[in-house]
Amino acid sequence: MNCKQELLKKISFHTAKIGIIGLGYVGLPLAVEFGKKFRVIGFDINQGRIDQLRICIDKTLEVTKEELAETSQLQISNNIDEFKSQDLTPHIKASDKMEKNKVRNLDRRKSN
């Protein structure tokens, strides 16, 4: 079974684990929606934000207190090592690729 098939199987059986980095205007609503059916681990570097979300307060008003309270499969933290089961390889590879493209684009500009 290849990676794609394995992921699709986990999605269909609701056993996929999802990691979301950044719990702001975009990340928090995604985490809440995915957290209705999947185990979601949300990361944010702001400890104050984490503390507020843990007591179901979203100062951005993107999700309601009720929505946060109903998301039983959402875990949040500012410590990325707390949930070592997450495979961050795709994020790391994407970041590396973006950096390489940035360097290439800078090199092209210098040569023009």
Side-chain angles (χ1 to χ4, degrees):
M1 181 179 300
N2 66 32
C3 288
K4 181 180 176 182
Q5 291 170 329
E6 187 176 332
L7 177 59
L8 290 174
K9 180 180 174 185
K10 287 180 179 183
I11 290 170
S12 68
F13 287 107
H14 297 267
T15 58
K17 296 177 191 171
I18 300 170
I20 296 181
I21 300 173
L23 297 174
Y25 292 100
V26 175
L28 182 61
L30 283 173
V32 168
E33 283 303 310
F34 281 125
K36 292 177 180 178
K37 298 204 178 211
F38 300 97
R39 181 171 174 228
V40 175
I41 299 171
F43 299 98
D44 200 288
I45 60 171
N46 184 336
Q47 182 61 52
R49 177 88 169 130
I50 297 297
D51 293 341
Q52 289 177 343
L53 293 174
R54 285 189 174 147
I55 57 172
C56 297
I57 295 173
D58 173 26
K59 67 179 182 178
T60 67
L61 305 176
E62 291 299 313
V63 297
T64 66
K65 188 173 192 168
E66 294 76 23
E67 288 174 310
L68 277 169
E70 292 171 2
T71 309
S72 61
Q73 297 190 69
L74 172 61
Q75 296 176 282
I76 56 176
S77 178
N78 70 336
N79 181 358
I80 205 157
D81 292 328
E82 189 173 336
F83 305 102
K84 291 187 181 220
S85 65
Q86 302 311 304
D87 180 6
L88 298 176
T89 304
H91 298 288
I92 293 167
K93 286 183 178 179
S95 178
D96 289 346
K97 186 173 184 176
M98 289 175 62
E99 184 63 28
K100 287 176 186 172
N101 288 338
K102 182 179 174 183
V103 169
R104 253 187 264 143
N105 288 339
L106 287 174
D107 288 343
R108 284 183 195 149
R109 288 183 187 152
K110 287 179 185 176
S111 65
N112 289 332

